[in-house]
Amino acid sequence: MEMGGSAYKENSSDDGQEDVGINYKLNRFPYAVVWQPFPPLTWILPMAGHTGITDSRGVVHDFQGPYFVEEGRMMLGRATRYIQLDPNKVMGGNEGENVAERWDRLIGMGCDDYRKRIHCIIYPNCNHHVAHCLNKLKYNGWEHWEMFQLWWMVLFHSKYCGLRGFLISMLPFLIILTIVLAVVLAKHL
């Protein structure tokens, strides 16, 4: 379990763009995949949840329903986990664009594609939207991102948004797991 820091930072990045840093209260996570639990699914599968992707300023882009990508907030409130991405690993885009311009343009293209799609709990959903954006970015040289890779990243590479993020994300799962283990152990004693 890794918990990220919540300090608000302001500095300049290598490409001259202002980097506002991560701010949980404002739900800002520049260059990141953000995640929140989707009850009751997350209570059983703790890596399954609602995802969004952020632009260079940390603004969330979230596929919430048919033909609708929300900008600025997630469907179920603030993010509880995030995966910090490296904007320098973007292989898509045009030469001559700085990192922030390339990132934002490609995220925008992915969002525009999903503004033309129906939303379904199975397919296409928010996880497919994020994977599609990662494919547009050609993030880390890869163009075949899928929902299960995102789940893997959430499970093993994400950071919690402090103690609150951990409790909201994991407490229901841990309670159910404890009850199941108690019942199984009681039957075998």
Side-chain angles (χ1 to χ4, degrees), residues 2 11 26 36 88 114 141 159 171 187:
E2 191 172 345
N11 56 34
L26 294 177
Q36 58 189 184
N88 295 309
Y114 267 71
K159 294 180 181 179
L171 189 60
K187 286 187 177 187

Side-chain angles (χ1 to χ4, degrees), residues 41 65 81 84 105 107 110 116 127 166 171 178 180 188-189:
L41 180 63
R81 295 168 96 167
Q84 189 65 60
R105 186 176 60 75
I107 295 295
K116 300 172 190 157
N127 296 287
F166 173 76
L171 189 60
T178 302
V180 168
H188 287 36
L189 291 178

Side-chain angles (χ1 to χ4, degrees), residues 22-89:
I22 293 168
N23 186 319
Y24 302 155
K25 290 183 181 181
L26 294 177
N27 209 37
R28 294 292 187 255
F29 304 85
Y31 306 107
V33 171
V34 290
W35 182 93
Q36 58 189 184
F38 192 78
L41 180 63
T42 307
W43 299 350
I44 300 161
L45 297 169
M47 71 292 226
H50 187 75
T51 59
I53 193 162
T54 64
D55 61 24
S56 64
R57 296 163 305 161
V59 176
V60 176
H61 296 257
D62 181 15
F63 184 48
Q64 295 183 0
Y67 316 108
F68 182 66
V69 177
E70 174 72 37
E71 292 181 20
R73 68 180 181 87
M74 294 185 77
M75 182 172 70
L76 303 171
R78 294 191 319 219
T80 58
R81 295 168 96 167
Y82 66 97
I83 304 159
Q84 189 65 60
L85 302 175
D86 180 353
N88 295 309
K89 291 186 176 182

Side-chain angles (χ1 to χ4, degrees), residues 31-34 51-54 83-87 89-93 102-103 106-111 113-114 126-151 153-154:
Y31 306 107
V33 171
V34 290
T51 59
I53 193 162
T54 64
I83 304 159
Q84 189 65 60
L85 302 175
D86 180 353
K89 291 186 176 182
V90 172
M91 303 299 164
R102 181 179 313 152
W103 183 278
L106 293 169
I107 295 295
M109 288 172 60
C111 291
D113 292 344
Y114 267 71
C126 60
N127 296 287
H128 297 104
H129 165 248
V130 171
H132 181 71
C133 288
L134 290 172
N135 289 332
K136 288 281 188 192
L137 292 168
K138 296 182 185 174
Y139 187 74
N140 210 18
W142 185 250
E143 294 181 69
H144 305 287
W145 292 94
E146 296 179 8
M147 179 173 70
F148 296 109
Q149 290 164 314
L150 288 175
W151 285 8
M153 288 172 60
V154 167

